Amino acid sequence: MILERAAGAVRAVLERTRGWAPAAVSAPDPALVEVVLDASAPRATRMRAAAQLGLRQGQLVRALALYEGGAEIVTAGRPGNEARRAGVGPAVEPDGLPGSWAAARTALRLTAEGTAHDPGPRTVYADELGGLVLLADAVGPDTPPVPDELAVERAVAEAPWAAATLHAVSASPSLRAAAAELTVHHSTLQERLVQTEHVLGWDVHSPQGRLRLQLALAIRKLRRSAKTGQAPEGARRSDVR
């Protein structure tokens, strides 16, 4: 009995000790993370939840929307794990996490598997999207497809290398750089483009044609993500790091 009372007294002192870390920091409660990210929750409620998670005003953090579902909150200075598929919200103080979470879900829609059939970055940062945010807001599962998007779909259906080739051309500073990314000879890439441009109906070499290709690929990603419900409304599995 004496030992139990002593243990209780020590526990009470530790809980009042300034440097004691709440259990939520090492083992975060998913419910607390959901509250912190919920824009509809009262600010006082969100701030209490943030404090329980070990977050403090003045600290910069980011919300992450994970492809497999759920959310994470990470410090702004921590290097991201680029190998996993996630949308990363802008760096904000804890009070701004609902906005970071919304932006992270938008960024998630523009991620890809990073494979030959679904090429592109697995991790996308919301603060690097620029005007693509407006495009994301405009494209939903019921948005009618545009002709350029349909042309890309036809090109991808006709050749197994088309998806990776079009992505490399749209994302590389030059055709030689695109060929190097694809690990093919420059002449091979030229031959592929002749075939693909015939299906697309426009020249991807010109600045205007390349912009058309970039927009068509972005719309294709956004529509596919909208159909699969890739960006969850709530955090089903949460973590704080």
Side-chain angles (χ1 to χ4, degrees), residues 16-235:
R16 293 194 301 268
T17 301
R18 193 171 190 177
W20 182 76
V25 173
S26 57
D29 184 347
L32 291 176
V33 176
E34 290 188 27
V35 171
V36 170
L37 300 178
D38 186 1
S40 64
R43 182 181 184 277
T45 302
R46 288 190 286 107
M47 291 301 94
R48 282 196 300 271
Q52 289 180 267
L53 290 169
L55 305 177
R56 64 185 187 279
Q57 283 303 106
Q59 177 186 14
L60 292 180
V61 291
R62 296 178 185 268
L64 270 65
L66 307 177
Y67 180 75
E68 62 270 20
E72 284 186 8
I73 299 172
V74 299
T75 58
R78 187 180 67 83
N81 182 359
E82 303 292 333
R84 65 180 172 172
R85 190 167 176 180
V88 184
V92 295
E93 293 189 19
D95 192 22
L97 277 169
S100 184
W101 169 239
R105 299 204 326 266
T106 298
L108 178 63
R109 296 180 61 196
L110 289 162
T111 63
E113 278 299 306
T115 63
H117 296 291
D118 188 16
R122 292 181 61 82
T123 300
V124 172
Y125 287 79
D127 43 16
E128 297 177 357
L129 293 180
L132 286 177
V133 173
L134 297 177
L135 185 64
D137 290 339
V139 178
D142 300 323
T143 305
V146 298
D148 286 0
E149 177 192 0
L150 296 175
V152 167
E153 291 289 359
R154 289 194 299 270
V156 170
E158 288 198 9
W161 42 258
T165 298
L166 291 175
H167 168 73
V169 170
S170 71
S172 300
S174 67
L175 291 184
R176 290 196 178 275
E181 179 183 333
L182 295 166
T183 321
V184 300
H185 193 272
H186 182 258
S187 61
T188 301
L189 177 58
Q190 292 282 14
E191 293 173 2
R192 288 183 177 183
L193 287 180
V194 170
Q195 177 179 340
T196 305
E197 287 174 341
H198 178 72
V199 179
L200 291 177
W202 77 84
D203 178 6
V204 300
H205 293 74
S206 67
Q208 180 183 0
R210 186 180 177 191
L211 177 59
R212 287 181 66 178
L213 177 59
Q214 291 169 336
L215 290 174
L217 292 175
I219 293 172
R220 181 172 182 259
K221 282 184 181 180
L222 292 168
R223 186 183 308 283
R224 294 172 72 183
S225 69
K227 288 181 178 179
T228 59
Q230 180 176 312
E233 284 301 318

